[in-house]
Amino acid sequence: MTVLSIIRDCLDALLHPSARYDALTRARHRAFMAPRLLGSLAAFAAFPVYLAMRGAPSAIEVAAFAWLIAPILLSWFLSRTGRYEGAHVLSSLALAGLIMAVAVTTGGIESFAAIWLVVVPLEAALSASRRVAAFASLLALSCAGILILVSQLGWLPIGDTSAAERGVLMAFGVASATLYAAGLAFGAESLARTSFALLLREEERYRLLARNMSDVISRHRRNGAVQFISPAVEAMLGVPVAQLLGHGLFDRVHVADRPAYLTALSDAARGDVRSVEFRLRREPVGSERGQIDFIWVELRCRPLDQDAGRDATREADVVAVMRDVTDRKLSEQALDRARSAAEEADAAKTRFLATMSHELRTPLNAIIGFSEMIAQEQTLMLGAAQRREYAQLINDSGQHLLSVVNGILDMSKMESGNFEIASEPFAPRASVMHCCNLLALKARENGVDLVTDAPQDLPFMTGDPRAFKQIVLNLVANAIKFTERGGQVTVTAAVSGSQLALGISDTGIGIAPDDLKRVGAPFFQAGKTYQRRHEGTGLGLSIVKSLVALHLGELTVQSRLGEGTAVTVKLPLVYTPPQAKTSDQKTSDEKTSDQKTSEASESKIATLTPVPRQESHDQVQDQPALVKKSA
């Protein structure tokens, strides 16, 4: 342990508690106390030597030595109170008093001690206080003025020193004042070096925090211009800090979010604390040229100077903390989608119950009613013709119930992934003609022309013939159901590359644009105005959509309200079922497969603007080899 460290420990023990926790304040208190304690101790130690050499001192000499020992009281004052500026004021008063006492007895303004008046404001400059420095300067000037005045009035005692002694004393005064001023200069330099080192250490600490924080810290003007932004923004946006200074950050804010961004900064500049979420353009490192995307960020800002923020006439700077909240936004959007899906599922359940109550109650009432009439045959005296008619009605109602139940079961199998496709070669033209023949009577009863265009040279295709027939039957039956009397339904089949293109168009009531987005959802029936005019469960197009997706095909629906609907189905001519997986693979991939099937089926419906009805009708008339089944 060195002598300097021992002295520093002793000084630290004398410091006031308020100065022990700040390094710069501690250094200033130590710089004030150390020279005064050492000077007082040196004067106290030199006094016996002075007595031995000089003899009995005069009253003025005793007062001078007492004054030299007095600074130890200033150190005690600072140690007890911690009032740094007050201690400097007392020190200036003590030094000026000592200079005045010596100067008055040694020649006034011409005294060697008068040069020490320059040291008074220099010593006060170490206080780092303008008030103390101004007080010390006025004090030194006042003392100089008093000495000049006293000299002019002749109130000074007559000195008996010779010219040589005065020269020696003057040299001593200049040299001592210079040495003391040099000591003050070194002390000021030491304090400045300590302050600079502490500032660098503090800046390095904040720089370390700014570099290692994932949040971005920035300083803005009231108009949004960036004055400083932490390096963390480079990882967030993929651009250098230099490109974001000024209005570089504002240029990356999404156009729709710029008003909210500027409003938050403006409010913060007026003294408020604001938080805003907006989108920023990001350029990921290593991405292709021109590839950009947007991220969601949250900006919390407040005025850098609270007093300036409250003054409307001053332009306060704003400090802000910005963090990436894209994951949270995506989670919120996922929750919103899940909530919407849950609401749609609840609405679908409500529609299902409403539809099933109608679709099941009507045929059941017919079955019960007509069966009771047949049971009371003798009472009602029914003839053979009436019994056959009632039995046929019961059979029709039962068939209707069976079709409803089969549709629900098929839809449930498809949604659960248990619907099996039996792939085998079959002739698509024969299937199309068979389905149209089955529905020709229904079209005739509704007064609708059913036109079929299926070329003789259609090649065989590989797939599930039962599923293919169900697709054709559901689409054609739907078209007939929603076409008014006198309208036309056209069924076409053609080869397009490696696919079979099946088209069903009608001149019916069409589908509204809002309903077209939801076509294919289970139990959905488009249009409130015509929803109850036509019976059905709303499962037909949903089943078609699922069957097409299972065959890796495409389904496109084009419609315009009041003009008709055109449905196009494209199926591969050669359907290759996916390879059977092991039980472990099925278990691990079950959710992924269901999700992909759902996504594939969701993407098969395009909401496009249909061709006007007149053009479609003209095309039908121009096609050769049409088979027309009409009333």
Side-chain angles (χ1 to χ4, degrees):
M1 184 177 293
T2 62
V3 177
L4 291 178
S5 63
I6 295 175
I7 295 175
R8 178 172 296 181
D9 292 340
C10 294
L11 290 174
D12 290 342
L14 296 175
L15 294 178
H16 190 265
S18 63
R20 294 177 182 175
Y21 303 103
D22 183 74
L24 183 58
T25 304
R26 186 168 60 249
R28 288 176 175 174
H29 282 229
R30 192 188 297 125
F32 180 89
M33 296 173 63
R36 285 162 180 79
L37 289 175
L38 293 176
S40 298
L41 293 176
F44 188 78
F47 186 67
V49 178
Y50 181 81
L51 291 177
M53 295 177 61
R54 180 70 183 266
S58 63
I60 296 178
E61 292 174 341
V62 173
F65 269 100
W67 210 280
L68 291 174
I69 299 173
I72 197 171
L73 299 176
L74 297 177
S75 299
W76 176 84
F77 171 80
L78 181 61
S79 175
R80 298 294 296 176
T81 62
R83 297 171 61 182
Y84 185 66
E85 293 184 3
H88 267 283
V89 170
L90 294 178
S91 178
S92 299
L93 289 172
L95 181 59
L98 177 62
I99 294 171
M100 288 292 291
V102 176
V104 167
T105 59
T106 57
I109 194 63
E110 297 179 356
S111 171
F112 73 94
I115 192 66
W116 274 76
L117 290 175
V118 179
V119 178
V120 175
L122 293 178
E123 184 186 64
L126 295 178
S127 66
S129 171
R130 291 185 177 181
R131 294 182 299 176
V132 176
F135 172 78
S137 300
L138 292 175
L139 179 62
L141 291 174
S142 300
C143 291
I146 292 173
L147 290 176
I148 294 172
L149 180 62
V150 172
S151 298
Q152 293 295 326
L153 294 177
W155 291 353
L156 295 174
I158 298 175
D160 54 354
T161 56
S162 62
E165 291 178 345
R166 286 198 300 270
V168 173
L169 290 175
M170 184 60 68
F172 171 76
V174 172
S176 60
T178 302
L179 290 175
Y180 191 77
L184 293 176
F186 280 109
E189 187 275 337
S190 177
L191 286 177
R193 187 169 62 250
T194 302
S195 177
F196 183 71
L198 292 174
L199 181 61
L200 285 181
R201 189 184 306 170
E202 195 72 14
E203 288 182 353
E204 184 62 27
R205 183 183 306 167
Y206 284 112
R207 191 177 293 111
L208 182 65
L209 290 175
R211 287 177 178 175
N212 292 277
M213 285 180 61
S214 58
D215 294 348
V216 177
I217 303 173
S218 56
R219 180 175 178 176
H220 305 256
R221 291 191 180 275
R222 191 168 188 170
N223 60 356
V226 177
Q227 294 177 293
F228 165 80
I229 191 165
S230 62
V233 74
E234 296 182 357
M236 178 182 291
L237 299 181
V239 293
V241 171
Q243 296 185 13
L244 300 175
L245 297 179
H247 292 284
L249 182 64
F250 173 78
D251 294 338
R252 292 186 168 273
V253 179
H254 196 280
V255 176
D257 299 332
R258 290 179 180 179
Y261 169 76
L262 292 178
T263 301
L265 292 178
S266 179
D267 292 343
R270 289 196 293 266
D272 299 330
V273 178
R274 287 289 179 264
S275 177
V276 63
E277 293 181 353
F278 57 92
R279 287 161 289 182
L280 273 178
R281 188 173 75 250
R282 175 179 62 182
E283 295 178 1
V285 179
S287 62
E288 297 180 0
R289 185 176 180 181
Q291 180 182 358
I292 58 175
D293 60 352
F294 284 89
I295 61 172
W296 279 97
V297 297
E298 179 186 26
L299 182 75
R300 295 181 180 271
C301 49
R302 63 174 181 82
L304 187 63
D305 184 0
Q306 295 288 346
D307 296 333
R310 296 187 183 96
D311 188 359
T313 61
R314 298 176 60 186
E315 183 177 353
D317 289 343
V318 176
V319 61
V321 178
M322 183 168 56
R323 65 176 52 183
D324 188 350
V325 294
T326 304
D327 293 339
R328 192 190 73 190
K329 277 290 185 180
L330 293 177
S331 299
E332 292 177 356
Q333 293 174 1
L335 288 176
D336 291 339
R337 289 194 296 268
R339 186 183 301 108
S340 300
E343 292 174 353
E344 290 179 1
D346 184 69
K349 181 186 70 173
T350 303
R351 290 194 304 270
F352 169 74
L353 294 176
T355 303
M356 288 301 99
S357 63
H358 171 80
E359 295 297 330
L360 297 178
R361 187 185 298 115
T362 301
L364 282 176
N365 287 335
I367 293 172
I368 294 172
F370 289 115
S371 61
E372 288 180 351
M373 295 180 69
I374 293 176
Q376 300 176 6
E377 176 185 0
Q378 296 180 353
T379 305
L380 298 177
M381 300 180 65
L382 298 178
Q386 289 179 316
R387 288 196 302 273
R388 285 193 300 270
E389 180 184 358
Y390 293 164
Q392 184 61 42
L393 292 174
I394 293 174
N395 182 266
D396 293 341
S397 300
Q399 293 294 336
H400 176 71
L401 279 177
L402 181 60
S403 65
V404 171
V405 173
N406 286 336
I408 296 174
L409 293 177
D410 290 342
M411 195 65 226
S412 300
K413 289 180 180 179
M414 294 175 192
E415 290 184 346
S416 62
N418 296 325
F419 191 89
E420 297 181 357
I421 296 180
S423 181
E424 61 182 65
F426 68 94
R429 183 181 186 281
S431 299
V432 171
M433 299 303 297
H434 176 70
C435 294
C436 292
N437 290 331
L438 290 177
L439 295 172
L441 179 60
K442 182 178 181 180
R444 188 179 299 112
E445 291 175 352
N446 291 350
V448 175
D449 290 340
L450 178 59
V451 180
T452 306
D453 176 17
Q456 296 284 348
D457 57 349
L458 277 182
F460 275 71
M461 64 181 296
T462 303
D464 191 334
R466 184 179 64 88
F468 181 81
K469 289 182 179 180
Q470 193 167 3
I471 292 173
V472 177
L473 286 172
N474 284 338
L475 291 178
V476 176
N478 243 22
I480 295 173
K481 181 182 359 179
F482 292 102
T483 301
E484 301 293 340
R485 183 173 294 275
Q488 178 175 289
V489 174
T490 304
V491 182
T492 61
V495 176
S496 176
S498 61
Q499 293 179 320
L500 175 70
L502 179 66
I504 296 92
S505 61
D506 61 66
T507 59
I509 57 179
I511 304 174
D514 293 338
D515 292 337
L516 192 59
K517 301 176 182 179
R518 301 172 57 191
V519 164
F523 309 109
F524 173 73
Q525 292 178 317
K528 292 183 179 180
T529 57
Y530 52 87
Q531 180 175 338
R532 292 287 63 181
R533 292 170 53 191
H534 306 278
E535 63 178 10
T537 60
L539 290 175
L541 194 55
S542 179
I543 292 175
V544 171
K545 178 181 174 182
S546 299
L547 290 175
V548 171
L550 289 175
H551 279 81
L552 306 179
E554 297 180 6
L555 173 66
T556 304
V557 180
Q558 298 176 340
S559 183
R560 182 173 293 175
L561 195 61
E563 294 187 6
T565 303
V567 180
T568 303
V569 176
K570 292 184 178 180
L571 299 174
L573 290 175
V574 179
Y575 167 72
T576 304
Q579 296 295 329
K581 294 184 178 182
T582 62
S583 59
D584 293 338
Q585 290 175 329
K586 288 181 179 179
T587 303
S588 61
D589 297 344
E590 182 178 4
K591 293 183 179 179
T592 305
S593 301
D594 293 343
Q595 182 179 1
K596 289 183 178 180
T597 302
S598 176
E599 292 177 353
S601 62
E602 287 292 338
S603 63
K604 300 306 180 183
I605 292 186
T607 55
L608 306 176
T609 304
V611 179
R613 185 175 64 180
Q614 183 62 36
E615 297 177 5
S616 176
H617 184 67
D618 293 342
Q619 291 176 358
V620 170
Q621 289 181 345
D622 293 339
Q623 291 176 350
L626 297 182
V627 180
K628 183 174 182 181
K629 297 178 175 61
S630 58

